[in-house]
């Protein structure tokens, strides 16, 4: 469980593609303090298990299903990824509750990381659009954000970025064409899916009420 408040941007220092899963070695530095093997860590918003920790480095294995669904597949040595340690009971939740289970990737169509109103615009795959609403929560690369706008004709949404987000995360360096990991708000998803299921199952009854 995570909050979408990224602790730091860390570098991928080694990649092992010889096994059935991709091994990512990430330089965590002080973020590895107290981290034990088997702990969950958010890497670009993806919940991964720390398999080995030594000298400030941690190894994470990315199975093919996760690699194919997220932007971790395109990581190279030197790539900088957002890192968040898992939420502890009693900790302040500054963002919103995240599972680290990525829905899909979104493609950046515009990024203005400088100036008075830094923002990112991105295109969302059709199947996830019904869960997105202006002022609703989303996470991009594990960063908790408020959706500023969403155009249902083009499937393009936008988020505004504050200076702290630009400095603390890798969203400050994204460019058009980049892929970002998307996690929709789980509560919104549950409400929408429950409502849709109710309407489908009670369509005739609802229609009779409207016609009476």
């Amino acid at each position: 469980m995570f909050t979408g408040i990224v602790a730091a941007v860390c570098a991928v220092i080694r990649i092992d593609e010889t096994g059935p899963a991709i091994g990512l070695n990430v330089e965590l530095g002080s973020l590895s303090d107290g981290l034990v093997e088997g702990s969950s860590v958010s890497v670009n918003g993806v919940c991964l298990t720390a398999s080995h920790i030594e000298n400030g480095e941690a190894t994470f294995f990315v199975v093919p299903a996760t690699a194919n669904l997220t932007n971790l597949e395109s990581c190279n040595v030197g790539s900088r990824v957002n890192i968040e340690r898992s939420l502890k009971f009693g900790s302040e939740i500054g963002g919103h509750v995240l599972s680290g289970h990525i829905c899909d990737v979104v493609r950046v169509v515009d990024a203005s990381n400088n100036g008075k109103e830094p923002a990112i615009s991105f295109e969302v795959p059709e199947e996830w659009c019904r869960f997105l609403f202006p002022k609703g929560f989303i996470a991009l690369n594990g960063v908790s954000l408020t959706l500023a706008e969403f155009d249902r004709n083009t499937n393009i949404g936008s988020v505004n970025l504050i200076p702290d987000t630009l400095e603390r995360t890798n969203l400050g360096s994204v460019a058009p064409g980049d892929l970002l990991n998307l996690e929709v708000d789980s509560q919104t998803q549950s409400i929408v899916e429950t409502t849709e299921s109710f309407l489908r199952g009670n369509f005739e009854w609802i229609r009779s009420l409207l016609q009476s």
Side-chain angles (χ1 to χ4, degrees):
M1 197 72 71
F2 307 96
T3 67
I5 304 300
V6 171
V9 179
C10 299
V12 176
I13 54 177
R14 283 189 300 279
I15 297 177
D16 182 2
E17 298 184 274
T18 59
I22 300 172
L24 294 181
N25 278 67
V26 182
E27 178 60 69
L28 295 183
S30 61
L31 286 178
S32 67
D33 293 349
L35 188 67
V36 298
E37 294 181 5
S39 297
S40 294
V41 177
S42 173
V43 181
N44 263 8
V46 184
C47 180
L48 297 178
T49 299
S51 298
H52 182 71
I53 304 105
E54 185 175 5
N55 298 326
E57 299 177 13
T59 301
F60 304 95
F61 287 102
V62 185
V63 299
T66 300
N68 294 336
L69 185 64
T70 71
N71 61 17
L72 295 183
E73 184 178 37
S74 60
C75 277
N76 300 304
V77 173
S79 293
R80 296 178 62 77
V81 292
N82 292 333
I83 298 294
E84 181 188 355
R85 295 279 299 271
S86 60
L87 175 65
K88 295 180 180 179
F89 285 111
S91 299
E92 179 178 288
I93 300 179
H96 71 286
V97 176
L98 298 172
S99 66
H101 298 162
I102 300 303
C103 303
D104 213 326
V105 291
V106 297
R107 186 175 299 277
V108 176
V109 297
D110 188 42
S112 54
N113 299 327
N114 299 305
K116 294 183 179 180
E117 297 183 356
I120 296 174
S121 296
F122 48 90
E123 186 175 6
V124 181
E126 180 67 35
E127 64 183 296
W128 303 106
C129 290
R130 69 189 199 274
F131 304 122
L132 301 186
F133 303 90
K135 309 307 178 186
F137 288 129
I138 62 167
L140 296 177
N141 274 8
V143 182
S144 174
L145 296 165
T146 299
L147 190 63
E149 297 179 355
F150 188 69
D151 187 332
R152 297 195 179 279
N153 294 317
T154 61
N155 295 351
I156 292 177
S158 65
V159 292
N160 297 317
L161 305 175
I162 62 174
D164 185 66
T165 302
L166 294 173
E167 295 175 4
R168 188 184 294 270
T169 76
N170 59 15
L171 296 185
S173 60
V174 302
D178 287 349
L179 297 177
L180 303 177
N181 294 329
L182 170 70
E183 181 177 343
V184 300
D185 179 54
S186 59
Q187 293 187 47
T188 301
Q189 184 175 357
S190 295
I191 291 170
V192 170
E193 290 181 337
T194 299
T195 302
E196 289 178 344
S197 177
F198 175 81
L199 292 175
R200 285 194 300 268
N202 297 276
F203 177 76
E204 293 298 331
W205 174 69
I206 294 172
R207 184 171 65 174
S208 67
L209 289 178
L210 294 175
Q211 292 176 341
S212 60

